Amino acid sequence: MKVLVIGGGAREHALCRSLSLDPDVTALHCAPGNAGIAEVAELHPVDQLDGAAVAALANELGAALVVVGPEAPLVAGVADAVRAAGIPVFGPSREAAQLEGSKAFAKDVMAGAGVPTARSYVCTTPAEIDEALDAFGAPYVVKDDGLAAGKGVVVTDDLERARAHALACDRVVIEEYLDGPEVSLFAITDGTTVLPLKPAQDFKRALDGDEGPNTGGMGAYSPLPWADPKLVEEVLETVLQPTVDELRRRGTPFSGLLYAGLAITGRGVRVIEFNARFGDPETQVVLARLKTPLAGVLLNSANGTLDDQAPLSWSDEAAVTVVVASHNYPETPRTGDPIEGLDEVAEKDAPHAYVLHAGTKRDGDAVVSAGGRVLSVTATGTDLAQARERAYAAVGRIRLDGSQHRTDIARKAAEA
């Protein structure tokens, strides 16, 4: 089949890499893509928020499946436009994508579904904000109600900082702090059947030791050797299936990738947030472990035939991804710097380690930085220690002036 992937980050590169390895995929296209994706897919310029333009491109290419990667096009209704053109699409409708597009909507769905989550207030005035902050106390958890590219959440003991972030949002969700380790669990669904993938853990803070500001994610690993073996089964029963059932009951069925961000608290599993698409950088490690060809699974989701899907096959290997970010990320990043060492990684570290491009573009013969998170260096190994070693060895070959990365991705889990 011909497949068109929408997006241009490391998540889309991971998706394109897996799709390029699928024998059923006869042609792979990506719009707009990036310098790395260009090695496995044909790139096309498109405004990824313009549903009519995406549908027209899919029609022109004769795509049998469109995979929408990022959240903004989903919230903008791009999947609806592609569906209306009669083309199977992996990704939820505009209405269902509000599960990520609005934290308040997600809280309402969770209440209806009986899904365990943090207590919260939705605030729109300074008085409501002060009341909510006072009710919960520190640490304060303040979330912009809308999309903020992973940077709309502030968790702080500083009341003034929490209040300033809340006042900067049009509508804000203030909630109780959830203690315990965090887990990302993805599930592919067609609106009825829910197929969970393997759990991963990502690292949101910019600096080692979980210091510094929140980012879109600085690295991830899978599997989680410390997690309860029954975790996936429990989350499927108490979170994922009830949420999908509730959305269908409301007349807004959710088809695509449902991402549950979870806290494993002393009182049990609690949902921190939902996303409506594959998470970045967790996708990089989850797909590195998936042995089942990807295209057929995504097509079954798009066609509503996921109950026909055979059980997924997984590698026993571990995977680690380390994000190389540009100077000053997550503030306004510096771009246009040349990236060197990519050929060395391909030559010396493949197939166990490889580079997935995020914010990159071609400038003549050079590949240069074009965003905050520039590369995701991903590696597999017999265990997390070996995967870490391989990932950081590959990171060490990459030269990008002023770049930064965390040195402690998966360290604790590997040493446990």
Side-chain angles (χ1 to χ4, degrees):
M1 70 177 97
K2 293 180 181 177
V3 181
L4 169 62
V5 176
I6 301 302
R11 161 189 43 230
E12 288 76 36
H13 193 177
L15 286 163
C16 284
R17 179 181 182 273
S18 290
L19 289 165
S20 73
L21 298 172
D22 186 332
D24 286 340
V25 176
T26 52
L28 182 59
H29 302 270
C30 187
N34 62 38
I37 295 173
E39 295 174 10
V40 294
E42 186 179 338
L43 303 191
H44 305 270
V46 78
D47 176 355
Q48 54 186 328
L49 299 180
D50 184 340
V54 171
L57 176 62
N59 245 329
E60 184 189 321
L61 296 173
L65 174 67
V66 175
V67 179
V68 183
E71 60 273 26
L74 293 168
V75 172
V78 166
D80 302 87
V82 177
R83 274 194 194 93
I87 301 166
V89 58
F90 181 80
S93 67
R94 181 203 303 265
E95 286 188 356
Q98 284 302 305
L99 202 61
E100 177 169 5
S102 167
K103 309 262 184 319
F105 176 78
K107 287 289 186 184
D108 189 57
V109 169
M110 284 188 265
V115 167
T117 186
R119 292 179 300 122
S120 63
Y121 294 103
V122 180
C123 309
T124 54
T125 68
E128 289 174 347
I129 287 166
D130 289 340
E131 191 179 331
L133 291 171
D134 184 58
F136 288 131
Y140 304 101
V141 182
V142 183
K143 299 180 174 182
D144 190 331
D145 182 54
L147 293 181
K151 297 174 218 160
V153 179
V154 164
V155 181
T156 179
D157 289 318
D158 183 336
L159 176 59
E160 286 312 307
R161 183 163 177 247
R163 191 169 188 273
H165 182 64
L167 290 170
C169 304
D170 290 335
R171 193 178 191 214
V172 66
V173 175
I174 296 172
E175 62 184 40
E176 68 175 325
Y177 176 75
L178 296 174
D179 64 332
E182 294 185 13
V183 173
S184 300
L185 184 61
F186 303 162
I188 292 171
T189 178
D190 57 6
T192 303
T193 302
V194 181
L195 191 64
L197 306 185
K198 293 294 184 185
Q201 186 174 59
D202 83 329
F203 294 75
K204 285 284 183 216
R205 299 284 187 168
L207 307 175
D208 284 6
D210 290 328
E211 299 288 332
N214 260 355
T215 72
M218 295 299 289
Y221 70 93
S222 179
L224 313 181
W226 48 268
D228 186 330
K230 293 181 179 172
L231 175 66
V232 173
E233 189 181 320
E234 179 191 341
V235 174
L236 176 61
E237 288 177 11
T238 63
V239 174
L240 299 169
Q241 192 70 56
T243 299
V244 168
D245 291 345
E246 173 68 12
L247 285 164
R248 189 175 66 253
R249 186 187 69 76
R250 291 175 176 224
T252 54
F254 187 104
S255 164
L257 195 289
L258 177 58
Y259 164 137
L262 309 164
I264 314 300
T265 76
R267 293 171 293 142
V269 174
R270 297 286 185 274
V271 175
I272 301 169
E273 64 174 354
F274 281 125
N275 290 333
R277 39 72 195 178
F278 278 102
D280 183 349
E282 301 97 318
T283 301
Q284 290 85 303
V285 292
V286 172
L287 292 186
R289 300 185 59 216
L290 179 65
K291 291 165 71 175
T292 302
L294 184 60
V297 186
L298 303 187
L299 187 62
N300 277 332
S301 164
N303 287 337
T305 53
L306 209 52
D307 57 345
D308 296 337
Q309 176 67 44
L312 299 179
S313 174
W314 295 92
S315 165
D316 290 331
E317 287 200 316
V320 171
T321 194
V322 178
V323 171
V324 177
S326 54
H327 177 73
N328 204 40
Y329 178 78
E331 301 305 321
T332 305
R334 193 172 81 201
T335 59
D337 289 314
I339 305 164
E340 297 177 338
L342 297 172
D343 290 343
E344 285 177 50
V345 175
E347 192 180 307
K348 297 177 179 174
D349 300 294
H352 304 297
Y354 47 88
V355 177
L356 298 169
H357 292 231
T360 69
K361 68 176 183 181
R362 281 222 162 262
D363 183 4
D365 290 337
V367 175
V368 301
S369 61
R373 291 187 295 174
V374 181
L375 305 168
S376 282
V377 181
T378 304
T380 55
T382 53
D383 56 20
L384 285 172
Q386 187 180 51
R388 272 192 96 242
E389 189 181 317
R390 286 171 169 171
Y392 280 107
V395 168
R397 301 190 203 282
I398 292 167
R399 297 175 295 285
L400 171 61
D401 187 48
S403 68
Q404 54 175 314
H405 65 271
R406 282 184 58 160
T407 65
D408 62 348
I409 304 300
R411 180 190 287 154
K412 279 185 188 171
E415 290 172 353

